[in-house]
């Protein structure tokens, strides 16, 4: 055994497992004893539950959130040379998947308070080769879908909603609160262990109200196969296994309670940072509920704050340290990407810092150590 100093976890997955241990072990054992490990009744049952939870869309589970984006782009018919507008400030997967399929990611700047993709920036980037927009529900809050949908409708673009961080979030449009994963022509999520709804390995899902898209996604996720050994499209191998489905089935039952606890924990941090100067948490738009996949603040003097966290033994992460358009991998893949003009992202990358967070995090304890 390594003798490492004990630091509080950034996301406390062991406390969550302790809380649901009996249910989880029962579900896991049933799968291990069943002899059926990929697809099968657990996966089908989970897909039905996820569909209902998101308000009646169709669900196709797959191997990861990244693969869900890739499959969605294949369903939407992305072709080499097509341009897709993506946020400059997020995890790399959306831009990476566009480039991997030969498309060109075009980087949009963000709003300085909500940190979400800025519809004004998106509008300015639409050109003759633009096919769609990938909107990311950053840190658990939905992107500004009313404004984005208006641009998409005016310009004939599709929207791919990357809700990897926001399964369970709500967004109010026209007075109606709707759940995340229902705002894109196709939407996706990730079940990576530390996401708000996570399994014990890799997993993801694709959501759509379009039956044709759902059918095509299912085909592509399974080697383009409509029946065994008959392949009508070039596809991929991207499947959710039964063990992950069983774990998600248990955790989905606790999700709403966890989201409530997450909101309460966020309030504790909010009040703490409101009492200091030089800090601003990610702004949550009125009417939105966030999953707080990350609790992220802007710190005017981040180095000083990091020194304080280190002295108190509190872990932190930088989401994200660098604008995507500056990543070396996009030098060639996205022609001209390195000259993208995203001044807000440049500034925000130097200020963001994320604190330990989940439904089981002792946020009051963290705040006490920082006072
Ligand atoms: C985590 C994440 C993904 C990728 O999900 P994986 O399941 O890890 O492949 C995609 N987009 C965003 C915004 C994410 O945070």
């Amino acid at each position: 055994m390594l003798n490492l100093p004990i630091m509080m976890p950034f996301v406390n997955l062991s406390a969550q497992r302790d809380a649901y241990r009996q249910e989880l072990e029962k579900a896991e054992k049933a799968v291990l004893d069943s002899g059926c490990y990929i697809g099968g009744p657990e996966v089908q049952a989970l897909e039905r539950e996820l569909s209902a939870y998101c308000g009646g869309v169709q669900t196709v589970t797959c191997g990861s959130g990244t693969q869900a984006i890739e499959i969605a782009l294949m369903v939407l018919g992305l072709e080499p040379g097509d341009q897709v507008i993506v946020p400059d400030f997020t995890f790399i997967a959306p831009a990476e998947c566009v480039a991997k399929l030969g498309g060109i990611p075009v980087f949009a700047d963000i709003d300085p308070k909500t940190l979400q993709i800025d519809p004004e920036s998106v509008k300015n980037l639409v050109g003759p080769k633009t096919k769609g927009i990938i909107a990311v529900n950053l840190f658990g809050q939905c992107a500004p879908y009313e404004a984005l949908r208006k641009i998409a409708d005016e310009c004939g673009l599709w929207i791919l909603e990357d809700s990897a961080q926001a399964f369970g979030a709500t967004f109010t449009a026209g007075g109606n609160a709707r759940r995340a994963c229902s705002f894109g022509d196709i939407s996706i999520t990730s079940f990576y262990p530390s996401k708000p709804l996570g399994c014990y390995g890799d997993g993801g899902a694709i959501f759509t109200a379009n039956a044709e898209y759902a059918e095509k996604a299912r085909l592509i996720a399974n080697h383009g196969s409509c029946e065994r050994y008959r392949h009508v499209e070039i596809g991929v191998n991207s499947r959710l296994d039964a063990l992950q489905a069983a774990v998600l089935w248990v955790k989905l039952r606790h999700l709403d309670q966890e989201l409530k606890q997450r909101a309460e924990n966020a309030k504790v941090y909010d009040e703490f940072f409101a009492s200091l100067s030089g800090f601003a948490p990610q702004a949550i738009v009125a009417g939105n509920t966030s999953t707080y996949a990350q609790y992220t603040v802007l710190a005017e003097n981040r180095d000083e704050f990091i020194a304080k966290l280190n002295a108190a033994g509190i872990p932190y992460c930088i989401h994200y340290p660098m604008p995507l358009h500056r990543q070396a991998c996009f030098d060639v893949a996205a022609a001209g990407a390195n000259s993208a003009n995203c001044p807000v992202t440049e500034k925000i990358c130097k200020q963001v810092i994320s604190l330990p967070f989940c439904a089981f995090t002792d946020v009051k304890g963290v705040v006490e150590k920082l006072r």
Side-chain angles (χ1 to χ4, degrees), residues 63-78:
S64 74
T66 305
Q67 289 172 2
I69 297 173
E70 190 182 352
I71 293 164
L73 290 171
M74 290 167 82
V75 170
L76 291 163
L78 189 78

Side-chain angles (χ1 to χ4, degrees), residues 64-67 69 90-91 93-94 136 162 164-165 188 190-192 195 202-203 320:
S64 74
T66 305
Q67 289 172 2
I69 297 173
T90 187
F91 185 59
V136 172
D162 177 346
Q165 303 180 355
I188 69 97
S190 162
F191 301 127
Y192 183 79
K195 306 281 182 180
D202 275 309
Y320 297 89

